[in-house]
Amino acid sequence: MAKDSLIILSGGMDSVTLLHYRKDRIALAVSFDYGSNHNAREIECARQQCEMLGIEHLVIPLEFMGKYFRSSLLEGADSIPEGHYADDNMKSTVVPFRNGIMLSIACGLAESRDLRHVMMANHGGDHAIYPDCRPGFVAAMSEAMREGTYEGIDIEAAFTDITKSDIARLGKELGVDYSKTYSCYKGREKHCGKCGTCVERREAMAEAGIDDPTIYED
């Protein structure tokens, strides 16, 4: 199968699962360093995964987001709320139009590399809180990319309509080592176990019947 795609790879569970799921089609993985608390740990996991699979990995700096955008994700570990994604306080973790910015850059990079698709790993659990993960956004952004490129580059978002537990089940089938992924929004050495993404990570692995290899502070 031809390698016709670029993947936006954070280094978390979802994008790493997609990396393994579509590895035969992925020519390039791109991580973005935008100044979040957990960026460095995620990017290191992304690098390790790509090295293991023999996929080229680029890290693109986006310092301006950390400097000018408002989000608890950019303001240090103590600013991160604890609880479930269903809680209203989790809206503070939204980084305004983050996926739109990253997809635009990925689209330009894909066209420069003669690739036809940009893969992203948003999922159904993201929809309620993150506007730039919702199906309507993905469809509109994909159409804009098609219209704005000679080759009609589009977005492939294979997980849009499934849950993180579904992703974990797929990862289990694929043999993904989730100890080499990172999720915690606080960005410490160990996962806090209490922020929205840690809670979701725990729930997904439990529902998928995975023996969670994550080391949590609690």
Side-chain angles (χ1 to χ4, degrees):
M1 184 177 294
K3 290 183 176 286
D4 59 1
S5 302
L6 174 159
I7 185 174
I8 296 176
L9 183 68
S10 69
M13 280 183 66
D14 310 325
S15 63
V16 166
T17 303
L18 185 59
L19 179 76
H20 284 259
Y21 185 44
R22 292 288 189 248
K23 63 183 179 182
D24 293 338
R25 289 182 49 203
I26 295 171
L28 177 65
V30 182
S31 300
F32 293 96
D33 186 354
Y34 60 98
S36 73
N37 303 323
H38 61 316
N39 244 174
R41 295 192 179 280
E42 276 194 322
I43 289 172
E44 175 57 22
C45 288
R47 184 195 66 75
Q48 290 176 7
Q49 295 286 344
C50 288
E51 186 176 85
M52 179 174 59
L53 295 175
I55 294 173
E56 183 183 357
H57 180 229
L58 293 181
V59 179
I60 296 179
L62 298 177
E63 295 100 333
F64 72 90
M65 294 175 71
K67 185 175 181 180
Y68 296 111
F69 288 17
R70 182 178 178 182
S71 168
S72 62
L73 209 59
L74 306 171
E75 297 170 358
D78 292 340
S79 298
I80 299 296
E82 295 180 352
H84 195 278
Y85 272 131
D87 300 336
D88 284 342
N89 63 353
M90 291 299 158
K91 290 181 180 178
S92 76
T93 64
V94 173
V95 179
F97 208 62
R98 175 181 61 181
N99 284 346
I101 294 166
M102 293 179 179
L103 284 164
S104 296
I105 295 169
C107 179
L109 186 54
E111 187 166 41
S112 298
R113 294 289 190 100
D114 295 320
L115 301 173
R116 298 296 300 272
H117 311 285
V118 174
M119 296 182 177
M120 64 181 294
N122 61 305
H123 63 82
D126 293 331
H127 299 171
I129 191 162
Y130 297 116
D132 57 359
C133 288
R134 295 171 185 162
F137 167 80
V138 175
M141 194 72 187
S142 186
E143 180 61 20
M145 287 164 54
R146 277 192 294 269
E147 291 292 332
T149 55
Y150 282 114
E151 298 301 325
I153 293 167
D154 63 9
I155 297 171
E156 288 196 10
F159 298 160
T160 297
D161 297 320
I162 67 174
T163 68
K164 196 180 190 80
S165 298
D166 294 326
I167 294 170
R169 291 185 190 97
L170 175 60
K172 184 179 180 180
E173 293 175 10
L174 295 170
V176 177
D177 181 358
Y178 285 126
S179 70
K180 293 181 172 61
T181 64
Y182 189 87
S183 300
C184 182
Y185 278 169
K186 295 194 176 184
R188 296 170 178 155
E189 182 178 354
K190 298 178 182 178
H191 285 68
C192 74
K194 297 178 180 178
C195 68
T197 189
C198 278
V199 171
E200 185 186 47
R201 180 184 178 101
R202 281 179 145 169
E203 289 179 349
M205 289 202 197
E207 290 177 9
I210 296 173
D211 185 12
D212 191 348
T214 312
I215 300 173
Y216 298 98
E217 290 179 351
D218 61 348

